[in-house]
Amino acid sequence: MEEKIVELCEIEVELYLDYYNNQIKSYKAFTEELESEKNNMINIVYDLLEDGFDEKKILSEIKSLGAYYKKTPEFFGKDNDSSMYPSEYFETKKRKKYPFHEKCGYTLSLVKRFFNRRKAFIAELSLRDKVPEEGVREKIYNNMKSSKKKSKRKKKTKKKNKK
């Protein structure tokens, strides 16, 4: 389990370090790259569920890894000469820093949304008819995509209404 959780969190962490070190040119490009990895992240969560781990265990592991990344010199912590390969993130001011990504915030948020959607779909399907879990993965992913678009549209209309 530990390897899969690390793999899940390192998708965001490594992309964020690439952005901070100018390997990804803009924050928008970073977020687009992160969005393109969403399907891989959801598949890793499914692998964890198939291995018998539950929602609470997965979320708590992501939170603890986020805290680890935030304080470790190899990633985002202050260099205390304990690491042979410090990232120098804490000491430099190359770009604007986003603490949300330092502690795997996007990953945690995505997994929470995934579990909420999964519960809603399973409840809806079980009420409608007894359909196995097989087609649920694609439906959840598509629903998560469309709901994000809906929330962006709502924000735009709210801004227009304020003007």
Side-chain angles (χ1 to χ4, degrees), residues 1 4-5 7-9 11 37-55 57-59 62 106-116 118 133 137 140 144:
M1 173 184 173
K4 289 182 182 178
I5 295 284
E7 180 183 351
L8 178 66
C9 290
I11 292 171
E37 291 291 331
K38 186 184 337 185
N39 202 10
N40 293 338
M41 296 168 101
I42 290 172
N43 286 334
I44 293 171
V45 173
Y46 260 104
D47 291 343
L48 289 166
L49 289 172
E50 289 170 0
D51 290 346
F53 298 101
D54 65 340
E55 175 183 358
K57 181 72 174 162
I58 293 170
L59 291 174
I62 292 171
Y106 176 84
T107 304
L108 186 62
S109 170
L110 176 72
V111 172
K112 284 181 179 179
R113 283 185 305 161
F114 165 77
F115 280 120
N116 288 338
R118 183 173 180 265
E133 171 103 8
R137 182 184 298 207
I140 292 172
M144 287 174 74

Side-chain angles (χ1 to χ4, degrees), residues 5-21:
I5 295 284
V6 169
E7 180 183 351
L8 178 66
C9 290
E10 281 191 355
I11 292 171
E12 177 180 6
V13 168
E14 288 177 2
L15 284 173
Y16 180 60
L17 280 174
D18 287 348
Y19 156 74
Y20 190 75
N21 292 320

Side-chain angles (χ1 to χ4, degrees), residues 68 71-75 77-87 91:
Y68 169 78
K71 67 180 179 184
T72 305
E74 286 91 354
F75 296 100
K78 184 176 183 179
D79 186 13
N80 55 6
D81 295 328
S82 65
S83 171
M84 298 202 44
Y85 306 103
S87 71
E91 293 79 17

Side-chain angles (χ1 to χ4, degrees), residues 125-142:
L125 290 174
S126 68
L127 290 174
R128 225 184 303 153
D129 52 10
K130 301 291 182 201
V131 177
E133 171 103 8
E134 296 306 314
V136 175
R137 182 184 298 207
E138 290 78 25
K139 289 181 182 180
I140 292 172
Y141 180 69
N142 290 333

